[in-house]
Amino acid sequence: MTWKPHATVAVVVEDHQGRFLLVEELSSGKVVFNQPAGHIEENEAILDAVKRETLEETGWEVEPTYLLGIYTYKAPSNGVTYYRFCYAARALHQATDQLDDGIIAPHWLTPAEIKRLGDKLRSPLVLQCIEDYRNGRKFPLDVIVDGQT
């Protein structure tokens, strides 16, 4: 069997009230909460994936502002290793209410509300990315050279 890494994006978006945009979704038959996130498609620029996934899962158009980090996570449910390119982004406007299959609803939640979700978070990276964002972790967008653009 050939090992195939899974490259994903995730997006941390904070509103003017200090709330964060999360997605309530169905994953493996279980309701969980996650940042807007998903796989980078073949021939897709990473920043385009950030915008697309956020729009598809929340209906919000966003502008990426900086890279928070690249996170590695091996999911215990399926043994797959994910490489998560997590970005901070600014919400521009809600463009649609049409959401991807499996998405229940987008939510704006405070950090305290997110922590209370506990095991309803899709992975520990959800909280870690928010904490890194709140601690000021940031890298310029051009730290990743994307040959697609």
Side-chain angles (χ1 to χ4, degrees):
M1 183 172 157
T2 303
W3 179 72
K4 180 181 174 189
H6 292 257
T8 63
V9 294
V11 188
V12 174
V13 183
E14 182 181 23
D15 72 6
H16 297 296
Q17 298 173 4
R19 299 175 305 170
F20 292 90
L21 182 59
L22 291 189
V23 175
E24 182 181 9
E25 61 186 343
L26 199 56
S27 176
S28 301
K30 183 178 170 187
V31 174
V32 294
F33 290 80
N34 196 8
Q35 275 101 12
H39 285 85
I40 302 165
E41 295 178 358
E42 186 174 1
N43 298 319
E44 182 177 36
I46 293 173
L47 291 177
D48 289 344
V50 167
K51 295 173 190 176
R52 176 185 54 77
E53 285 292 347
T54 306
L55 181 63
E56 289 176 354
E57 293 192 353
T58 70
W60 280 85
E61 289 187 355
V62 297
E63 177 185 347
T65 52
Y66 56 86
L67 175 71
L68 278 168
I70 302 169
Y71 302 78
T72 303
Y73 178 70
K74 186 171 185 176
S77 62
N78 61 13
V80 172
T81 298
Y82 295 91
Y83 294 92
R84 180 187 238 224
F85 294 78
C86 190
Y87 285 84
R90 183 172 58 90
L92 300 176
H93 65 276
Q94 188 170 9
T96 183
D97 59 1
Q98 297 295 314
L99 306 177
D100 269 357
D101 290 341
I103 302 297
I104 297 168
H107 298 279
W108 290 95
L109 301 172
T110 66
E113 290 170 327
I114 295 167
K115 285 180 183 174
R116 283 195 296 270
L117 291 171
D119 66 353
K120 286 190 175 190
L121 295 176
R122 183 154 183 176
S123 83
L125 293 182
V126 175
L127 198 52
Q128 183 176 353
C129 288
I130 290 171
E131 289 173 355
D132 287 350
Y133 170 88
R134 294 180 76 206
N135 288 329
R137 181 183 176 105
K138 60 174 71 174
F139 301 95
L141 292 175
D142 64 1
V143 73
I144 295 177
V145 178
D146 195 331
Q148 302 301 320
T149 57

PDB file of all heavy atoms in Angstrom, residues 23 36-39 41 44 48-61 96-101 103 106:
ATOM      1  N   VAL A  23     -18.128  25.372  12.091  1.00  0.00           N
ATOM      2  CA  VAL A  23     -19.085  24.620  11.306  1.00  0.00           C
ATOM      3  C   VAL A  23     -19.562  23.426  12.134  1.00  0.00           C
ATOM      4  O   VAL A  23     -18.746  22.678  12.668  1.00  0.00           O
ATOM      5  CB  VAL A  23     -18.418  24.114  10.004  1.00  0.00           C
ATOM      6  CG1 VAL A  23     -19.362  23.227   9.231  1.00  0.00           C
ATOM      7  CG2 VAL A  23     -17.952  25.277   9.156  1.00  0.00           C
ATOM      8  N   PRO A  36     -14.095  26.025   9.346  1.00  0.00           N
ATOM      9  CA  PRO A  36     -14.288  25.720   7.933  1.00  0.00           C
ATOM     10  C   PRO A  36     -12.997  25.054   7.444  1.00  0.00           C
ATOM     11  O   PRO A  36     -11.906  25.589   7.659  1.00  0.00           O
ATOM     12  CB  PRO A  36     -14.488  27.090   7.288  1.00  0.00           C
ATOM     13  CG  PRO A  36     -14.905  27.991   8.416  1.00  0.00           C
ATOM     14  CD  PRO A  36     -14.265  27.441   9.641  1.00  0.00           C
ATOM     15  N   ALA A  37     -13.109  23.887   6.825  1.00  0.00           N
ATOM     16  CA  ALA A  37     -11.907  23.123   6.483  1.00  0.00           C
ATOM     17  C   ALA A  37     -12.234  22.085   5.426  1.00  0.00           C
ATOM     18  O   ALA A  37     -13.382  21.689   5.273  1.00  0.00           O
ATOM     19  CB  ALA A  37     -11.358  22.435   7.735  1.00  0.00           C
ATOM     20  N   GLY A  38     -11.191  21.653   4.746  1.00  0.00           N
ATOM     21  CA  GLY A  38     -11.385  20.592   3.774  1.00  0.00           C
ATOM     22  C   GLY A  38     -10.139  20.346   2.959  1.00  0.00           C
ATOM     23  O   GLY A  38      -9.122  21.030   3.119  1.00  0.00           O
ATOM     24  N   HIS A  39     -10.218  19.374   2.079  1.00  0.00           N
ATOM     25  CA  HIS A  39      -9.073  18.975   1.268  1.00  0.00           C
ATOM     26  C   HIS A  39      -8.769  19.990   0.171  1.00  0.00           C
ATOM     27  O   HIS A  39      -9.674  20.589  -0.403  1.00  0.00           O
ATOM     28  CB  HIS A  39      -9.327  17.608   0.622  1.00  0.00           C
ATOM     29  CG  HIS A  39      -9.210  16.487   1.584  1.00  0.00           C
ATOM     30  ND1 HIS A  39     -10.263  16.091   2.382  1.00  0.00           N
ATOM     31  CD2 HIS A  39      -8.173  15.688   1.893  1.00  0.00           C
ATOM     32  CE1 HIS A  39      -9.864  15.077   3.149  1.00  0.00           C
ATOM     33  NE2 HIS A  39      -8.600  14.812   2.868  1.00  0.00           N
ATOM     34  N   GLU A  41      -7.897  20.595  -3.464  1.00  0.00           N
ATOM     35  CA  GLU A  41      -8.168  19.824  -4.670  1.00  0.00           C
ATOM     36  C   GLU A  41      -6.971  19.851  -5.614  1.00  0.00           C
ATOM     37  O   GLU A  41      -6.127  20.762  -5.544  1.00  0.00           O
ATOM     38  CB  GLU A  41      -9.417  20.381  -5.365  1.00  0.00           C
ATOM     39  CG  GLU A  41     -10.663  20.188  -4.517  1.00  0.00           C
ATOM     40  CD  GLU A  41     -11.921  20.763  -5.137  1.00  0.00           C
ATOM     41  OE1 GLU A  41     -11.850  21.365  -6.224  1.00  0.00           O
ATOM     42  OE2 GLU A  41     -12.979  20.611  -4.515  1.00  0.00           O
ATOM     43  N   GLU A  44      -5.334  23.040  -7.370  1.00  0.00           N
ATOM     44  CA  GLU A  44      -5.938  24.187  -6.707  1.00  0.00           C
ATOM     45  C   GLU A  44      -4.882  24.909  -5.868  1.00  0.00           C
ATOM     46  O   GLU A  44      -4.152  24.287  -5.105  1.00  0.00           O
ATOM     47  CB  GLU A  44      -7.089  23.736  -5.803  1.00  0.00           C
ATOM     48  CG  GLU A  44      -7.812  24.869  -5.112  1.00  0.00           C
ATOM     49  CD  GLU A  44      -8.986  24.396  -4.273  1.00  0.00           C
ATOM     50  OE1 GLU A  44      -8.890  23.299  -3.660  1.00  0.00           O
ATOM     51  OE2 GLU A  44     -10.002  25.104  -4.237  1.00  0.00           O
ATOM     52  N   ASP A  48      -6.829  29.593  -2.679  1.00  0.00           N
ATOM     53  CA  ASP A  48      -8.136  29.384  -3.314  1.00  0.00           C
ATOM     54  C   ASP A  48      -8.932  28.342  -2.541  1.00  0.00           C
ATOM     55  O   ASP A  48     -10.159  28.465  -2.388  1.00  0.00           O
ATOM     56  CB  ASP A  48      -7.980  28.953  -4.774  1.00  0.00           C
ATOM     57  CG  ASP A  48      -7.489  30.076  -5.670  1.00  0.00           C
ATOM     58  OD1 ASP A  48      -7.553  31.268  -5.261  1.00  0.00           O
ATOM     59  OD2 ASP A  48      -7.018  29.775  -6.783  1.00  0.00           O
ATOM     60  N   ALA A  49      -8.262  27.309  -2.033  1.00  0.00           N
ATOM     61  CA  ALA A  49      -8.931  26.285  -1.222  1.00  0.00           C
ATOM     62  C   ALA A  49      -9.476  26.891   0.068  1.00  0.00           C
ATOM     63  O   ALA A  49     -10.579  26.537   0.509  1.00  0.00           O
ATOM     64  CB  ALA A  49      -7.975  25.136  -0.916  1.00  0.00           C
ATOM     65  N   VAL A  50      -8.721  27.802   0.669  1.00  0.00           N
ATOM     66  CA  VAL A  50      -9.175  28.488   1.891  1.00  0.00           C
ATOM     67  C   VAL A  50     -10.493  29.208   1.624  1.00  0.00           C
ATOM     68  O   VAL A  50     -11.474  29.054   2.364  1.00  0.00           O
ATOM     69  CB  VAL A  50      -8.092  29.497   2.370  1.00  0.00           C
ATOM     70  CG1 VAL A  50      -8.643  30.433   3.436  1.00  0.00           C
ATOM     71  CG2 VAL A  50      -6.863  28.765   2.880  1.00  0.00           C
ATOM     72  N   LYS A  51     -10.531  29.974   0.550  1.00  0.00           N
ATOM     73  CA  LYS A  51     -11.742  30.734   0.213  1.00  0.00           C
ATOM     74  C   LYS A  51     -12.892  29.808  -0.167  1.00  0.00           C
ATOM     75  O   LYS A  51     -14.034  30.006   0.273  1.00  0.00           O
ATOM     76  CB  LYS A  51     -11.444  31.693  -0.937  1.00  0.00           C
ATOM     77  CG  LYS A  51     -10.440  32.769  -0.585  1.00  0.00           C
ATOM     78  CD  LYS A  51     -10.069  33.568  -1.826  1.00  0.00           C
ATOM     79  CE  LYS A  51      -8.904  34.497  -1.570  1.00  0.00           C
ATOM     80  NZ  LYS A  51      -8.494  35.186  -2.828  1.00  0.00           N
ATOM     81  N   ARG A  52     -12.611  28.796  -0.973  1.00  0.00           N
ATOM     82  CA  ARG A  52     -13.653  27.880  -1.434  1.00  0.00           C
ATOM     83  C   ARG A  52     -14.273  27.111  -0.280  1.00  0.00           C
ATOM     84  O   ARG A  52     -15.505  27.038  -0.151  1.00  0.00           O
ATOM     85  CB  ARG A  52     -13.076  26.899  -2.468  1.00  0.00           C
ATOM     86  CG  ARG A  52     -14.090  25.848  -2.938  1.00  0.00           C
ATOM     87  CD  ARG A  52     -13.472  24.820  -3.872  1.00  0.00           C
ATOM     88  NE  ARG A  52     -12.301  24.161  -3.322  1.00  0.00           N
ATOM     89  CZ  ARG A  52     -12.328  23.193  -2.401  1.00  0.00           C
ATOM     90  NH1 ARG A  52     -13.474  22.773  -1.889  1.00  0.00           N
ATOM     91  NH2 ARG A  52     -11.204  22.634  -1.969  1.00  0.00           N
ATOM     92  N   GLU A  53     -13.433  26.507   0.558  1.00  0.00           N
ATOM     93  CA  GLU A  53     -13.960  25.701   1.666  1.00  0.00           C
ATOM     94  C   GLU A  53     -14.795  26.545   2.617  1.00  0.00           C
ATOM     95  O   GLU A  53     -15.842  26.109   3.089  1.00  0.00           O
ATOM     96  CB  GLU A  53     -12.826  25.002   2.420  1.00  0.00           C
ATOM     97  CG  GLU A  53     -12.237  23.823   1.687  1.00  0.00           C
ATOM     98  CD  GLU A  53     -13.188  22.628   1.566  1.00  0.00           C
ATOM     99  OE1 GLU A  53     -14.239  22.583   2.241  1.00  0.00           O
ATOM    100  OE2 GLU A  53     -12.859  21.721   0.778  1.00  0.00           O
ATOM    101  N   THR A  54     -14.341  27.764   2.903  1.00  0.00           N
ATOM    102  CA  THR A  54     -15.108  28.626   3.810  1.00  0.00           C
ATOM    103  C   THR A  54     -16.461  28.968   3.209  1.00  0.00           C
ATOM    104  O   THR A  54     -17.493  28.890   3.888  1.00  0.00           O
ATOM    105  CB  THR A  54     -14.319  29.906   4.142  1.00  0.00           C
ATOM    106  OG1 THR A  54     -13.030  29.554   4.640  1.00  0.00           O
ATOM    107  CG2 THR A  54     -15.046  30.734   5.191  1.00  0.00           C
ATOM    108  N   LEU A  55     -16.477  29.306   1.928  1.00  0.00           N
ATOM    109  CA  LEU A  55     -17.734  29.631   1.259  1.00  0.00           C
ATOM    110  C   LEU A  55     -18.663  28.417   1.211  1.00  0.00           C
ATOM    111  O   LEU A  55     -19.852  28.523   1.538  1.00  0.00           O
ATOM    112  CB  LEU A  55     -17.469  30.154  -0.154  1.00  0.00           C
ATOM    113  CG  LEU A  55     -18.701  30.566  -0.955  1.00  0.00           C
ATOM    114  CD1 LEU A  55     -19.432  31.731  -0.280  1.00  0.00           C
ATOM    115  CD2 LEU A  55     -18.294  30.931  -2.378  1.00  0.00           C
ATOM    116  N   GLU A  56     -18.124  27.255   0.828  1.00  0.00           N
ATOM    117  CA  GLU A  56     -18.953  26.050   0.709  1.00  0.00           C
ATOM    118  C   GLU A  56     -19.532  25.591   2.041  1.00  0.00           C
ATOM    119  O   GLU A  56     -20.648  25.085   2.092  1.00  0.00           O
ATOM    120  CB  GLU A  56     -18.135  24.908   0.107  1.00  0.00           C
ATOM    121  CG  GLU A  56     -17.810  25.091  -1.348  1.00  0.00           C
ATOM    122  CD  GLU A  56     -16.910  23.993  -1.906  1.00  0.00           C
ATOM    123  OE1 GLU A  56     -16.431  23.120  -1.136  1.00  0.00           O
ATOM    124  OE2 GLU A  56     -16.671  24.014  -3.123  1.00  0.00           O
ATOM    125  N   GLU A  57     -18.785  25.776   3.123  1.00  0.00           N
ATOM    126  CA  GLU A  57     -19.224  25.246   4.419  1.00  0.00           C
ATOM    127  C   GLU A  57     -19.965  26.249   5.288  1.00  0.00           C
ATOM    128  O   GLU A  57     -20.690  25.845   6.197  1.00  0.00           O
ATOM    129  CB  GLU A  57     -18.023  24.683   5.183  1.00  0.00           C
ATOM    130  CG  GLU A  57     -17.436  23.454   4.500  1.00  0.00           C
ATOM    131  CD  GLU A  57     -16.447  22.696   5.360  1.00  0.00           C
ATOM    132  OE1 GLU A  57     -16.093  23.179   6.457  1.00  0.00           O
ATOM    133  OE2 GLU A  57     -16.048  21.602   4.927  1.00  0.00           O
ATOM    134  N   THR A  58     -19.775  27.562   5.027  1.00  0.00           N
ATOM    135  CA  THR A  58     -20.401  28.567   5.887  1.00  0.00           C
ATOM    136  C   THR A  58     -21.242  29.586   5.132  1.00  0.00           C
ATOM    137  O   THR A  58     -22.037  30.290   5.753  1.00  0.00           O
ATOM    138  CB  THR A  58     -19.341  29.354   6.689  1.00  0.00           C
ATOM    139  OG1 THR A  58     -18.605  30.194   5.787  1.00  0.00           O
ATOM    140  CG2 THR A  58     -18.421  28.431   7.454  1.00  0.00           C
ATOM    141  N   GLY A  59     -21.016  29.718   3.827  1.00  0.00           N
ATOM    142  CA  GLY A  59     -21.686  30.756   3.052  1.00  0.00           C
ATOM    143  C   GLY A  59     -20.973  32.097   3.110  1.00  0.00           C
ATOM    144  O   GLY A  59     -21.393  33.051   2.471  1.00  0.00           O
ATOM    145  N   TRP A  60     -19.864  32.173   3.865  1.00  0.00           N
ATOM    146  CA  TRP A  60     -19.127  33.429   4.023  1.00  0.00           C
ATOM    147  C   TRP A  60     -17.966  33.506   3.042  1.00  0.00           C
ATOM    148  O   TRP A  60     -17.216  32.547   2.882  1.00  0.00           O
ATOM    149  CB  TRP A  60     -18.564  33.549   5.441  1.00  0.00           C
ATOM    150  CG  TRP A  60     -19.591  34.001   6.431  1.00  0.00           C
ATOM    151  CD1 TRP A  60     -20.493  33.213   7.092  1.00  0.00           C
ATOM    152  CD2 TRP A  60     -19.830  35.325   6.846  1.00  0.00           C
ATOM    153  NE1 TRP A  60     -21.279  33.984   7.905  1.00  0.00           N
ATOM    154  CE2 TRP A  60     -20.887  35.287   7.781  1.00  0.00           C
ATOM    155  CE3 TRP A  60     -19.247  36.556   6.539  1.00  0.00           C
ATOM    156  CZ2 TRP A  60     -21.381  36.438   8.395  1.00  0.00           C
ATOM    157  CZ3 TRP A  60     -19.744  37.698   7.159  1.00  0.00           C
ATOM    158  CH2 TRP A  60     -20.805  37.627   8.075  1.00  0.00           C
ATOM    159  N   GLU A  61     -17.815  34.686   2.416  1.00  0.00           N
ATOM    160  CA  GLU A  61     -16.608  34.979   1.647  1.00  0.00           C
ATOM    161  C   GLU A  61     -15.604  35.583   2.615  1.00  0.00           C
ATOM    162  O   GLU A  61     -15.960  36.415   3.467  1.00  0.00           O
ATOM    163  CB  GLU A  61     -16.911  35.948   0.506  1.00  0.00           C
ATOM    164  CG  GLU A  61     -17.720  35.286  -0.587  1.00  0.00           C
ATOM    165  CD  GLU A  61     -17.899  36.152  -1.822  1.00  0.00           C
ATOM    166  OE1 GLU A  61     -17.480  37.328  -1.828  1.00  0.00           O
ATOM    167  OE2 GLU A  61     -18.471  35.636  -2.794  1.00  0.00           O
ATOM    168  N   THR A  96     -24.082  33.445   0.662  1.00  0.00           N
ATOM    169  CA  THR A  96     -25.094  32.438   0.337  1.00  0.00           C
ATOM    170  C   THR A  96     -25.504  31.679   1.594  1.00  0.00           C
ATOM    171  O   THR A  96     -24.781  31.690   2.597  1.00  0.00           O
ATOM    172  CB  THR A  96     -24.561  31.431  -0.723  1.00  0.00           C
ATOM    173  OG1 THR A  96     -25.592  30.515  -1.075  1.00  0.00           O
ATOM    174  CG2 THR A  96     -23.360  30.661  -0.210  1.00  0.00           C
ATOM    175  N   ASP A  97     -26.641  31.032   1.510  1.00  0.00           N
ATOM    176  CA  ASP A  97     -27.049  30.128   2.590  1.00  0.00           C
ATOM    177  C   ASP A  97     -27.048  28.687   2.106  1.00  0.00           C
ATOM    178  O   ASP A  97     -27.480  27.781   2.813  1.00  0.00           O
ATOM    179  CB  ASP A  97     -28.397  30.522   3.190  1.00  0.00           C
ATOM    180  CG  ASP A  97     -29.532  30.527   2.171  1.00  0.00           C
ATOM    181  OD1 ASP A  97     -29.284  30.203   0.978  1.00  0.00           O
ATOM    182  OD2 ASP A  97     -30.659  30.855   2.554  1.00  0.00           O
ATOM    183  N   GLN A  98     -26.531  28.458   0.890  1.00  0.00           N
ATOM    184  CA  GLN A  98     -26.378  27.105   0.348  1.00  0.00           C
ATOM    185  C   GLN A  98     -25.070  26.519   0.867  1.00  0.00           C
ATOM    186  O   GLN A  98     -23.999  27.079   0.624  1.00  0.00           O
ATOM    187  CB  GLN A  98     -26.359  27.150  -1.186  1.00  0.00           C
ATOM    188  CG  GLN A  98     -27.653  27.656  -1.796  1.00  0.00           C
ATOM    189  CD  GLN A  98     -28.820  26.730  -1.527  1.00  0.00           C
ATOM    190  OE1 GLN A  98     -28.708  25.521  -1.682  1.00  0.00           O
ATOM    191  NE2 GLN A  98     -29.942  27.297  -1.106  1.00  0.00           N
ATOM    192  N   LEU A  99     -25.149  25.392   1.588  1.00  0.00           N
ATOM    193  CA  LEU A  99     -23.977  24.793   2.224  1.00  0.00           C
ATOM    194  C   LEU A  99     -23.744  23.383   1.704  1.00  0.00           C
ATOM    195  O   LEU A  99     -24.668  22.726   1.228  1.00  0.00           O
ATOM    196  CB  LEU A  99     -24.158  24.770   3.743  1.00  0.00           C
ATOM    197  CG  LEU A  99     -24.500  26.121   4.400  1.00  0.00           C
ATOM    198  CD1 LEU A  99     -24.721  25.939   5.885  1.00  0.00           C
ATOM    199  CD2 LEU A  99     -23.425  27.160   4.125  1.00  0.00           C
ATOM    200  N   ASP A 100     -22.492  22.917   1.827  1.00  0.00           N
ATOM    201  CA  ASP A 100     -22.118  21.566   1.417  1.00  0.00           C
ATOM    202  C   ASP A 100     -22.982  20.507   2.116  1.00  0.00           C
ATOM    203  O   ASP A 100     -23.453  20.725   3.239  1.00  0.00           O
ATOM    204  CB  ASP A 100     -20.659  21.281   1.804  1.00  0.00           C
ATOM    205  CG  ASP A 100     -19.676  21.629   0.707  1.00  0.00           C
ATOM    206  OD1 ASP A 100     -20.095  22.035  -0.381  1.00  0.00           O
ATOM    207  OD2 ASP A 100     -18.468  21.487   0.965  1.00  0.00           O
ATOM    208  N   ASP A 101     -23.108  19.357   1.463  1.00  0.00           N
ATOM    209  CA  ASP A 101     -23.747  18.209   2.099  1.00  0.00           C
ATOM    210  C   ASP A 101     -22.970  17.853   3.363  1.00  0.00           C
ATOM    211  O   ASP A 101     -21.747  17.931   3.387  1.00  0.00           O
ATOM    212  CB  ASP A 101     -23.752  17.005   1.160  1.00  0.00           C
ATOM    213  CG  ASP A 101     -24.697  17.181  -0.016  1.00  0.00           C
ATOM    214  OD1 ASP A 101     -25.601  18.036   0.070  1.00  0.00           O
ATOM    215  OD2 ASP A 101     -24.527  16.461  -1.013  1.00  0.00           O
ATOM    216  N   ILE A 103     -23.038  19.481   6.114  1.00  0.00           N
ATOM    217  CA  ILE A 103     -22.938  20.656   6.980  1.00  0.00           C
ATOM    218  C   ILE A 103     -24.318  20.923   7.575  1.00  0.00           C
ATOM    219  O   ILE A 103     -25.313  21.036   6.850  1.00  0.00           O
ATOM    220  CB  ILE A 103     -22.451  21.903   6.202  1.00  0.00           C
ATOM    221  CG1 ILE A 103     -21.088  21.632   5.551  1.00  0.00           C
ATOM    222  CG2 ILE A 103     -22.412  23.125   7.116  1.00  0.00           C
ATOM    223  CD1 ILE A 103     -19.963  21.349   6.510  1.00  0.00           C
ATOM    224  N   PRO A 106     -23.438  26.895  10.117  1.00  0.00           N
ATOM    225  CA  PRO A 106     -22.299  27.653  10.633  1.00  0.00           C
ATOM    226  C   PRO A 106     -22.716  28.321  11.951  1.00  0.00           C
ATOM    227  O   PRO A 106     -23.905  28.604  12.161  1.00  0.00           O
ATOM    228  CB  PRO A 106     -22.049  28.702   9.542  1.00  0.00           C
ATOM    229  CG  PRO A 106     -23.384  28.915   8.903  1.00  0.00           C
ATOM    230  CD  PRO A 106     -24.127  27.601   9.038  1.00  0.00           C
TER     231      PRO A 106
END
